Amino acid sequence: MLGFINTTKKQINKFILNDKKMLLSQKLLAEINESTNVQMFIDESANIFWVSKEGRYIWMMQDSSYLAYIDENHIEVNEKSPEGAGNTGVYWNNEDFNFPFHISDFRNRISTITV
């Protein structure tokens, strides 16, 4: 760690995210420690996913209404999504939610990832 004495937290996280040997959970933890205002995807089944910088969809929770997330600033998209997420959905930033996910929510979800 001595090599990081004059290095900012953001620079350290960038180094960590670029390390191909790191576990996915370690990369996600470094990403969420940098900022919780991450991209979120709500599919047509009202599943809410965190979309990592690497494009991985991490399931966070299921809500009751998908249509409640569509407005003039958040329009519906139809694109090929990874397995587990529907192809039709809407993107939000976490801080745009009325009740954004807290860093502990992300850390709890990351703790279940073992690869």
Side-chain angles (χ1 to χ4, degrees), residues 12-13 15-30 54 115:
I12 292 170
N13 283 335
F15 171 79
I16 290 170
L17 291 171
N18 290 328
D19 185 350
K20 303 295 184 212
K21 297 177 187 172
M22 289 191 63
L23 293 176
L24 174 59
S25 58
Q26 293 169 316
K27 288 182 180 183
L28 293 172
L29 190 56
E54 290 184 343
V115 293

Side-chain angles (χ1 to χ4, degrees), residues 27-111:
K27 288 182 180 183
L28 293 172
L29 190 56
E31 181 177 327
I32 204 63
N33 283 337
E34 190 175 311
S35 173
T36 57
N37 192 27
V38 293
Q39 188 176 51
M40 307 298 285
F41 180 75
I42 303 93
D43 71 9
E44 67 268 23
S45 297
N47 288 300
I48 301 176
F49 297 88
W50 162 26
V51 183
S52 75
K53 289 180 181 177
E54 290 184 343
R56 297 183 187 274
Y57 285 57
I58 296 90
W59 184 85
M60 296 297 291
M61 67 170 281
Q62 183 159 14
D63 203 349
S64 58
S65 173
Y66 162 69
L67 296 176
Y69 291 95
I70 299 173
D71 61 25
E72 64 275 356
N73 296 316
H74 304 94
I75 55 173
E76 188 174 63
V77 296
N78 192 341
E79 56 189 37
K80 182 70 175 148
S81 296
E83 187 174 341
N87 292 331
T88 301
V90 60
Y91 287 98
W92 282 64
N93 285 328
N94 186 45
E95 290 180 3
D96 291 342
F97 290 139
N98 289 334
F99 302 101
F101 288 97
H102 187 270
I103 193 163
S104 62
D105 300 317
F106 291 103
R107 288 180 178 160
N108 287 339
R109 181 57 55 201
I110 291 168
S111 72

